Amino acid sequence: IGFSEEQERLVKESWEIMKEDIPHLSLYFFTQVLEIAPAAKGLFSFLKDEEEIPQDNPKLKAHAIKVFKMTCEAAIQLREKGEIVVSGSTLKWLGSVHLQKGVIGPHFEVVKEALIRTVEKGVGEKWSEEMKGAWSEAYDHLAAAIKAEMKQEI
Ligand code: HEM
Ligand code: ISQ
């Protein structure tokens, strides 16, 4: 069973809603990551020397947007092709960035949970179990592709 059109629609629909509130939701995303795993703070160059999460940091915003956009792209590809086909060079780059920053397997579960919580917050009353399932599946495929790249580099 692959990724359905309905699942792709749910991911796209929620991202369209969330886009309207990027400053707020990107902060929320990081807050959730650090709430689940406080030690992850040291991994991010723009957080490690901060007492609190900076409220208006362009890098922080841009990073959060990238994660959401890439998960969205992953959903589209899963539906169209049944697999993740981020270009080889992008995956290699993502693999080496994360390896170099000291990201390890269990971190991916942390970011997944934070991402799901952020979508839930972002879409409000449109939230559903189906929407959760669609984002989870898209994220899992993307995370697996990045982790596979990280393993190859060791
Ligand atoms: C950097 C995406 C999972 C921590 C990045 C960048 C992207 C990205 C695109 C590069 C940003 C840039 O330099 O322009 C993703 C995606 C993920 C994922 C799509 C999952 C599907 C994780 C996980 C962690 C993590 C699980 C661990 C907490 C980091 C860190 C950086 C980074 C520390 C470097 C930030 C800095 O500039 O200091 N990620 N990431 N990422 N990611 Fe991820
Ligand atoms: C992982 N990689 C890059 C940026 C991120 C932002 C928030 C949470 C996780 C992330």
Side-chain angles (χ1 to χ4, degrees), residues 33 40 43-46 59 63 66-67 70-71 93-94 97-98 101 103-105 107-111 139 142-143 146:
V33 171
L43 298 174
F44 292 93
S45 56
F46 45 88
K59 263 192 126 174
H63 273 65
K66 274 187 200 168
V67 177
M70 292 192 71
T71 309
W93 169 68
L94 279 177
V97 168
H98 289 95
K101 293 285 176 174
V103 174
I104 51 172
H107 287 138
F108 282 88
E109 289 305 311
V110 173
V111 169
Y139 176 88
L142 181 57
I146 297 174

Side-chain angles (χ1 to χ4, degrees), residues 119 127 149:
V119 179
W127 179 246
E149 255 337 300

Side-chain angles (χ1 to χ4, degrees), residues 30-92:
F30 273 100
T31 307
Q32 294 306 306
V33 171
L34 300 192
E35 195 181 297
I36 304 169
K41 194 177 178 215
L43 298 174
F44 292 93
S45 56
F46 45 88
L47 293 185
K48 62 171 181 255
D49 300 324
E50 303 285 340
E51 285 282 332
E52 293 181 5
I53 302 181
Q55 298 292 303
D56 193 24
N57 183 310
K59 263 192 126 174
L60 182 151
K61 248 182 267 180
H63 273 65
I65 293 172
K66 274 187 200 168
V67 177
F68 277 101
K69 273 201 176 154
M70 292 192 71
T71 309
C72 248
E73 281 299 312
I76 296 167
Q77 292 181 2
L78 272 178
R79 214 268 304 146
E80 285 178 352
K81 308 204 166 70
E83 59 176 336
I84 303 284
V85 285
V86 193
S87 80
S89 56
T90 305
L91 271 181
K92 276 205 167 46

